[in-house]
Amino acid sequence: MLKSEPFEVTLANKQSIILPEAIAHLFLKNDHKRVKVVVTFKEQSINYHGALIPKKNGLCVMYFSNEKQKALGIFMNDYFEMQLFEDQSKYGVDMPEELDAVLMSDHEAYTIFEALTPGRQRSIIYTIKRYKSTQTRVDKAILLTENLKRGITDPKLWLKQF
């Protein structure tokens, strides 16, 4: 499995980090645009999935949300440690158990889901992951898959009842 050595970074702006060229190149040359990330600051750490975003000027950036910054207590001008790992997950993000169970129990919904673009699949996964309650995740996954089967492709309508 491809992984970087831990490296030190700081925020480039409110929600992004400029990655060291050698590290970004290591992953991009091996066609890994999605990575698993471990960020450590003051003995606290978080793990998440991220995307490497090459820019025209040769730089490579990665988004780092305000939510993640707040969880670690990171502010502008703080330096923190980051390490990247090859993302070996099927969808580029961890699949919630509830959505996986609903898709496994509904072949038609699973087939539609698998035919979607990887970005659209991740959007659906994130839509379900944002709910904390297991029961809410199940309910929303069922509603979302029923809407997919109805042909609803607009993310704004995925969780609407018709």
Side-chain angles (χ1 to χ4, degrees), residues 66-133:
N66 288 333
E67 181 183 342
K68 292 175 183 70
Q69 293 172 43
K70 187 176 180 180
L72 291 172
I74 293 173
F75 295 97
M76 287 297 287
N77 301 323
D78 282 338
Y79 284 85
F80 49 94
E81 191 173 89
M82 181 176 263
Q83 187 173 14
L84 305 182
F85 298 86
E86 176 184 337
D87 182 3
Q88 297 180 325
S89 65
K90 182 175 180 179
Y91 302 109
V93 65
D94 293 329
M95 170 71 85
E97 291 178 26
E98 299 85 357
L99 177 59
D100 192 39
V102 169
L103 289 171
M104 290 300 113
S105 68
D106 187 336
H107 182 71
E108 182 183 356
Y110 176 78
T111 303
I112 293 168
F113 180 82
E114 288 296 317
L116 297 172
T117 64
R120 189 54 58 106
Q121 291 171 338
R122 283 190 297 276
S123 292
I124 288 172
I125 291 168
Y126 284 126
T127 296
I128 300 304
K129 279 182 83 160
R130 72 177 183 217
Y131 296 100
K132 295 190 187 329
S133 158

Side-chain angles (χ1 to χ4, degrees), residues 8-72:
E8 192 173 71
V9 291
T10 189
L11 294 168
N13 59 36
K14 289 182 179 182
Q15 292 193 349
S16 65
I17 298 162
I18 297 174
L19 297 170
E21 184 179 339
I23 291 171
H25 182 69
L26 173 70
F27 286 89
L28 292 173
K29 78 175 181 178
N30 287 297
D31 202 31
H32 296 294
K33 293 180 181 176
R34 304 263 331 151
V35 293
K36 288 189 83 167
V37 183
V38 177
V39 178
T40 305
F41 183 66
K42 295 184 179 177
E43 299 181 20
Q44 289 185 301
S45 66
I46 59 169
N47 302 324
Y48 69 98
H49 292 264
L52 303 178
I53 307 163
K55 298 293 184 177
K56 290 180 183 177
N57 59 6
L59 295 177
C60 186
V61 299
M62 175 180 286
Y63 292 119
F64 189 58
S65 70
N66 288 333
E67 181 183 342
K68 292 175 183 70
Q69 293 172 43
K70 187 176 180 180
L72 291 172

